[in-house]
């Protein structure tokens, strides 16, 4: 059930029987020379769609909200096409969206996040909303971290625009993936270094992993295990 497709009387009726809203959250940012700028939104939107489908088969309903497209992406802002929102503005914006859902009566808000830079502001936003609405529970899911073990049983490596993310995109929007440009390697630093142009070092060309072994089959396997596990968590299995 997609929020944006309902009328307000439909919504009023839905919120009486559905307690969970799922909000995909992403980022518009550079993902190498081979993946589209919207990768971090396409992935969680597809996971949300599959979670809802799996829950429907179990007779459980959730409401899926439109995604938050723009995120906080300091590190990748060194590349063209990255549209970075400051951490403060992003935190406040997502907090206001969650407050509205809490005030409408939703008791569980699931932030299905597709982008690492969003994580710190999302935690702060969630804490503020839960202070204000004690009966409300917020789940913050980072699919590539929370299900890392499963992903690494499918892919030999993972990372930004890497094997896992590229595989998922090959499964979701293959026409947007330019595999002939898919190259890169793993970079890391011993401590967290924050500097305006650090992205050029840590994410050369906007990549931090080798994406060349990505396949649609791996992407399909990731989407399947991640959506099944989220669906199980939501029904308390
Ligand atoms: Zn990404």
């Amino acid at each position: 059930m997609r929020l944006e497709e309902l009328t307000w009387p439909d919504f009023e009726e839905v919120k009486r029987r559905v307690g969970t809203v799922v909000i995909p959250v992403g980022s518009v940012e550079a993902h190498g020379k081979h993946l589209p700028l919207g990768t971090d939104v396409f992935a969680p939107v597809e996971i949300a769609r599959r979670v809802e489908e799996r829950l429907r088969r179990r007779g459980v309903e959730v409401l899926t909200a439109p995604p938050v497209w723009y995120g906080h992406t300091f590190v990748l802002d060194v590349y063209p096409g990255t549209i970075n929102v400051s951490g403060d503005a992003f935190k406040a914006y997502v907090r206001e969206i969650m407050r509205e859902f809490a005030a409408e009566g939703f008791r569980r808000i699931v932030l299905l996040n597709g982008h690492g830079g969003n994580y710190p502001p999302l935690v702060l936003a969630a804490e503020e909303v839960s202070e204000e609405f004690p009966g409300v529970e917020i789940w913050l899911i980072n699919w590539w971290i929370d299900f890392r073990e499963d992903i690494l049983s499918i892919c030999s490596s993972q990372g930004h625009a890497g094997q896992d993310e590229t595989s998922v995109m090959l499964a979701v929007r293959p026409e947007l993936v330019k595999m002939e440009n898919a190259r890169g390697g793993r970079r890391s630093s011993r401590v967290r270094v924050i500097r305006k142009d650090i992205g050029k070092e840590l994410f050369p060309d906007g990549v931090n992993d080798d994406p060349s072994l990505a396949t649609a089959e791996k992407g399909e396997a990731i989407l399947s295990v991640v959506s099944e596990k989220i669906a199980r968590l939501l029904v308390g299995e």
Side-chain angles (χ1 to χ4, degrees):
M1 202 167 12
R2 303 263 299 264
L3 169 66
E4 67 271 29
E5 295 176 354
L6 303 176
T7 62
W8 73 258
D10 293 340
F11 177 82
E12 198 170 43
E13 193 261 314
V14 162
K15 76 177 191 182
R16 266 187 238 121
R17 58 170 210 270
V18 176
T20 298
V21 59
V22 178
I23 312 172
V25 186
S27 171
V28 176
E29 68 178 26
H31 273 80
K33 293 180 173 174
H34 64 293
L35 293 183
L37 299 169
T39 293
D40 285 352
V41 176
F42 293 135
V45 163
E46 176 63 13
I47 294 167
R49 191 187 68 75
R50 290 177 184 232
V51 167
E52 198 183 320
E53 196 178 282
R54 283 168 188 270
L55 289 172
R56 195 181 309 121
R57 280 189 236 137
R58 291 166 160 97
V60 175
E61 283 185 304
V62 293
L63 180 66
T64 303
V68 177
W69 268 90
Y70 298 101
H72 178 56
T73 174
F74 174 81
V75 176
L76 286 147
D77 208 12
V78 289
Y79 294 104
T82 296
I83 308 298
N84 175 33
V85 175
S86 76
D88 283 344
F90 177 72
K91 181 194 84 173
Y93 185 58
V94 179
R95 181 191 62 217
E96 297 308 303
I97 294 169
M98 288 194 285
R99 289 181 77 214
E100 287 289 292
F101 282 109
E104 290 280 2
F106 290 89
R107 298 294 86 172
R108 185 162 56 187
I109 300 170
V110 179
L111 299 175
L112 190 37
N113 182 36
H115 167 65
N118 290 345
Y119 186 60
L122 287 178
V123 170
L124 297 175
E127 286 175 357
E128 289 180 17
V129 174
S130 59
E131 292 275 7
E132 193 181 346
F133 296 89
V136 171
E137 182 173 88
I138 296 154
W139 289 22
L140 174 48
I141 299 178
N142 297 298
W143 66 268
W144 72 102
I145 298 172
D146 297 339
F147 305 99
R148 173 172 280 156
E149 219 172 284
D150 299 292
I151 291 169
L152 287 175
S153 71
I154 297 163
C155 291
S156 51
S157 66
Q158 70 167 170
H160 181 80
Q163 191 183 147
D164 55 340
E165 211 171 22
T166 304
S167 295
V168 166
M169 286 310 295
L170 283 169
V172 177
R173 297 296 297 271
E175 74 283 8
L176 301 179
V177 182
K178 298 175 167 42
M179 275 312 280
E180 66 279 15
N181 297 334
R183 63 183 70 88
R186 197 90 191 124
R187 294 278 180 99
S188 60
S189 59
R190 286 182 66 86
V191 295
R192 178 87 173 244
V193 178
I194 294 152
R195 197 181 67 221
K196 185 65 190 150
D197 61 352
I198 194 73
K200 295 246 183 211
E201 264 170 51
L202 291 180
F203 297 80
D205 288 334
V207 183
N208 191 331
D209 184 38
D210 177 3
S212 63
L213 295 175
T215 65
E217 291 68 30
K218 290 177 187 175
E220 190 55 45
I222 292 171
L223 290 166
S224 166
V225 69
V226 168
S227 54
E228 176 62 20
K229 290 211 166 173
I230 295 173
R232 277 191 211 162
L233 287 170
L234 286 170
V235 293
E237 281 176 14

